[in-house]
Amino acid sequence: MSSGKTAPGQLAGASAGADVRFDRRLIAPMVLGSILNPINSSMLAVALIPIGSAFGVGPADTAWLVTGLYLATAVGQPVMGRLVDRYGPRPLYLIGTALVGVAGLLGALAPTLGVLIASRVLLGFGTSAAYPASMSLIRSEADRTGMASPTGVLSALSIANQVIAVIGPTLGGLLIGVGGWHLIFTVNVPLSLACVVLGLVWLPRSTGRSGGGRLDLAGIVLFAAMLVSFMMFLMKPSWSSVFLIGVAVVLGAGFTWRELRAADPFIDLRVLGGNAPLLATYGRQVCTFVVSYSFLYGFTQWLEEGRSLSAPKAGLVLLPMSLAAVAITAITGRRSAVRGKLVAGSILLLVACGALQLAAGSSPLWLLVGLGVLAGFPQGLNGLANQNALYHQADPSRMGSSAGLLRTCTYLGALTAAAANASFFSDGATTSGLHELSWFLLGVGVLLLALTVLDRSLNRIK
């Protein structure tokens, strides 16, 4: 577990006159690179219908545009993170952000839906590099400067991603209104160029922390196949697809066998297995985003069907939820301690999940807005606290892959939420279905609170 302290040699170098301030020039490329994934995830929400019309296909086919990005990102984040650990953040950042531009062009010029889906997969892999690279850069700068808790920079990453998630659908709608759905892909080209230029100019030329030896390609392939099998089941859980869980278990056993014997494993299971605090953080991340995405999609569906609001009105009702998450992150982001954030976030999350029982077809709008705001506060608190906890708990030499796995847990939470919504809303987004979903989310919230209260290591993060 990282203590976040600087070695004596580093302090000696600092006292010799080196600039020991955090290099603020790094913030622009880190933030711009890290928002590429959420902006591409959120803009597509308003483009599925026009894309389906353009290619003459239905929702079942266009859903693969979402699924492709989710799968590629969930697999790509830890893979890119491991490459960051080996070769340093700069080359992977540049390669990943350049791929985003290529994927944007491919999507804008796509002649078929299949090519468009391929561009989304490429986008998923390309956008997977910047966040692990950013976390690795923050760790390196903390080591160089002796800054134990760069909370301001960590909160800036979190706020930027939340803000983009809020404005993404609006931006997507504007782009489609100006030049059609192609523009939500084309916009990646200037964003990619900006990232590459900023990366070339300001990112330091540094080597990876754990280079040497062969890259564990077998471990990467087994991990990817295991994760894809499990996620494919979560996307459409049914008895006919339950065999995918068996496939995932077999692949997981093979992955474990391989990693325990590899000289330089893709994921060091011995170290990870001995790092209970980090495993708890991953568990909290999954729980946090099961609830967050259930509110984002499930509550939204109910607003439109159960409460009979139009899509624009439902969006306006949910806007304060996102603003509340951004606000609480900005207010608490300067404090490095995470236990208080997680305890408060877990309790507020339980209150929000329980409060869904109050929702009814005749509920006044002020009550529905209040439910959204109540759900926004724990989203901001828990997301920021989990990121900060990982920064302190992960092995510094594997910061990239550890950060990538945190993002993978986010998508596992999202897919679990999608499966829950599909199950409880099997007959439509009814009020009774929303209340049943509420009970499920309360169970998830109890687990989140337990993972927080029982984790005494959080007391050491100051």
Side-chain angles (χ1 to χ4, degrees):
M1 180 172 164
S2 169
S3 64
K5 296 181 179 178
T6 308
Q10 290 171 304
L11 289 176
S15 64
D19 185 356
V20 293
R21 295 172 298 175
F22 192 98
D23 189 349
R24 295 286 172 177
R25 295 175 302 176
L26 299 178
I27 296 177
M30 287 193 301
V31 169
L32 187 59
S34 69
I35 68 171
L36 292 175
N37 188 272
I39 198 171
N40 277 285
S41 297
S42 57
M43 283 195 305
L44 188 73
V46 294
L48 293 176
I49 298 301
I51 289 174
S53 299
F55 290 107
V57 297
D61 295 309
T62 57
W64 280 101
L65 293 168
V66 178
T67 299
L69 184 75
Y70 273 21
L71 285 173
T73 304
V75 173
Q77 290 275 355
V79 172
M80 288 291 195
R82 185 63 186 130
L83 294 174
V84 166
D85 293 333
R86 286 179 62 91
Y87 304 113
R90 188 175 194 267
L92 270 300
Y93 178 95
L94 294 174
I95 291 170
T97 53
L99 280 178
V100 170
V102 174
L105 277 177
L106 180 64
L109 302 174
T112 65
L113 181 65
V115 175
L116 194 62
I117 292 171
S119 77
R120 291 282 292 179
V121 171
L122 189 59
L123 265 177
F125 281 112
T127 60
S128 292
Y131 181 72
S134 297
M135 291 294 285
S136 180
L137 282 166
I138 294 171
R139 177 76 261 178
S140 298
E141 278 294 284
D143 289 344
R144 183 183 69 82
T145 62
M147 183 187 299
S149 299
T151 51
V153 182
L154 289 169
S155 62
L157 282 181
S158 182
I159 291 171
N161 281 263
Q162 290 175 8
V163 169
I164 286 299
V166 173
I167 68 172
T170 302
L171 175 61
L174 290 173
L175 290 173
I176 292 171
V178 170
W181 62 264
H182 299 83
L183 278 187
I184 72 165
F185 290 89
T186 308
V187 74
N188 284 291
V189 176
L191 289 174
S192 169
L193 287 173
C195 286
V196 170
V197 171
L198 290 174
L200 286 171
V201 173
W202 284 336
L203 295 189
R205 295 179 181 273
S206 60
T207 58
R209 294 172 178 264
S210 57
R214 291 184 176 181
L215 185 64
D216 183 18
L217 292 176
I220 290 173
V221 170
L222 286 168
F223 173 82
M226 172 189 70
L227 192 60
V228 168
S229 298
F230 182 61
M231 292 180 74
M232 290 292 285
F233 171 76
L234 285 179
M235 286 169 189
K236 274 195 173 180
S238 65
W239 288 113
S240 62
S241 62
V242 75
F243 74 94
L244 289 170
I245 295 181
V247 172
V249 169
V250 171
L251 290 168
F255 173 71
T256 301
W257 182 88
R258 163 68 191 181
E259 297 305 274
L260 291 176
R261 286 160 178 77
D264 186 15
F266 165 50
I267 297 176
D268 195 329
L269 296 181
R270 288 190 179 90
V271 173
L272 186 61
N275 193 342
L278 182 58
L279 292 175
T281 295
Y282 288 146
R284 286 192 297 268
Q285 186 79 347
V286 173
C287 292
T288 295
F289 282 93
V290 167
V291 177
S292 293
Y293 277 97
S294 291
F295 264 91
L296 183 62
Y297 295 118
F299 188 49
T300 303
Q301 285 180 262
W302 176 81
L303 287 173
E304 294 183 35
E305 293 187 33
R307 182 56 176 76
S308 301
L309 296 181
S310 65
K313 285 185 179 179
L316 287 174
V317 168
L318 282 182
L319 182 60
M321 179 178 75
S322 300
L323 295 178
V326 172
I328 198 68
T329 301
I331 292 169
T332 63
R334 289 288 178 179
R335 296 180 58 86
S336 60
V338 301
R339 184 178 178 84
K341 294 188 185 77
L342 286 169
V343 171
S346 300
I347 293 173
L348 285 171
L349 183 141
L350 283 170
V351 174
C353 294
L356 283 177
Q357 295 289 330
L358 302 175
S362 58
S363 295
L365 289 180
W366 65 262
L367 175 62
L368 303 179
V369 171
L371 287 175
V373 170
L374 196 56
F377 287 134
Q379 178 182 323
L381 287 168
N382 294 330
L384 175 63
N386 286 331
Q387 177 182 262
N388 289 1
L390 175 131
Y391 174 81
H392 289 273
Q393 294 164 343
D395 178 355
S397 67
R398 288 180 174 264
M399 181 59 70
S401 53
S402 297
L405 283 172
L406 188 72
R407 281 289 180 94
T408 296
C409 290
T410 298
Y411 283 97
L412 286 174
L415 290 172
T416 302
N421 290 339
S423 176
F424 293 111
F425 291 160
S426 58
D427 296 323
T430 63
T431 298
S432 61
L434 181 68
H435 291 169
E436 291 171 1
L437 176 64
S438 167
W439 288 113
F440 168 74
L441 296 180
L442 278 169
V444 175
V446 169
L447 178 58
L448 174 62
L449 183 60
L451 287 171
T452 299
V453 173
L454 297 176
D455 187 356
R456 296 183 178 180
S457 70
L458 296 174
N459 291 324
R460 297 195 291 270
I461 302 176
K462 302 297 185 181

